[in-house]
Amino acid sequence: MYINFVILPFIILLGLLLPDNNKNRIIYIIIVILILSLESALRSLFLVPDTYNYYEMFTIRVPNMSWAEIWSGFINRYFGQIDVEFDFGFYVLQKAISYLTDSFQVFTFLSQLLFFVPMGILLYKYGTNIRQLIFAFVFYVALLHVSAL
């Protein structure tokens, strides 16, 4: 959480220092998205209990699961009579990324990009100047990103 004391001023200063034009808006969005994604990817496994659980899922459980087991879990969860807690999409994401890398930090970075890239596209599309982008990113970090840690 203390990293936000560095990230928030950086987001504000970077936005204020860049001249306001389309090229700089894109550069600003990309830099802030990369910083926020890296912050999540490089955090400690023991920051919150969920992080270590996701680490175990990615490094131990999912690599040993077959696609048939994942599909079976989907069928049982949504069509079977068995009341099972099974997040099909998350298992598919983990399995697919596990083919690319076995690094949990890379997995976390890529999964963060799945959130931040569409957010950046929306901000670019509807934000007409850098000050609006500064406000949107500061708002996100101050109110939403803290709870996501």
Side-chain angles (χ1 to χ4, degrees):
M1 180 146 140
Y2 295 117
I3 190 74
N4 287 338
F5 292 129
V6 175
I7 290 176
L8 280 173
F10 177 78
I11 289 172
I12 294 168
L13 288 174
L14 179 65
L16 293 176
L17 293 175
L18 287 174
D20 195 2
N21 58 47
N22 277 343
K23 180 182 174 190
N24 286 338
R25 283 179 35 227
I26 292 171
I27 291 170
Y28 178 74
I29 290 170
I30 290 171
I31 290 172
V32 173
I33 284 173
L34 288 175
I35 288 170
L36 293 175
S37 297
L38 281 171
E39 175 200 6
S40 295
L42 298 176
R43 68 183 175 194
S44 169
L45 292 177
F46 305 103
L47 185 64
V48 292
D50 282 354
T51 306
Y52 190 75
N53 293 338
Y54 292 136
Y55 171 77
E56 282 187 336
M57 283 177 66
F58 182 74
T59 57
I60 298 168
R61 199 175 326 155
V62 173
N64 295 323
M65 290 178 78
S66 68
W67 284 104
E69 288 176 284
I70 294 173
W71 183 250
S72 174
F74 170 75
I75 297 295
N76 288 334
R77 171 71 169 96
Y78 294 105
F79 301 109
Q81 299 299 321
I82 305 169
D83 187 23
V84 191
E85 287 294 322
F86 190 82
D87 191 356
F88 174 71
F90 192 62
Y91 279 100
V92 168
L93 176 68
Q94 286 185 339
K95 188 72 171 173
I97 292 177
S98 73
Y99 285 121
L100 300 173
T101 183
D102 59 351
S103 169
F104 180 70
Q105 283 75 26
V106 173
F107 162 72
T108 307
F109 180 76
L110 293 175
S111 61
Q112 289 295 314
L113 287 180
L114 286 175
F115 171 77
F116 283 119
V117 168
M119 179 181 158
I121 291 169
L122 276 172
L123 289 175
Y124 178 74
K125 184 175 179 179
Y126 295 109
T128 57
N129 58 53
I130 285 189
R131 289 189 180 174
Q132 291 177 348
L133 299 176
I134 294 170
F135 175 79
F137 280 118
V138 167
F139 183 82
Y140 171 78
V141 170
L143 295 179
L144 303 172
H145 195 65
V146 172
S147 65
L149 292 176

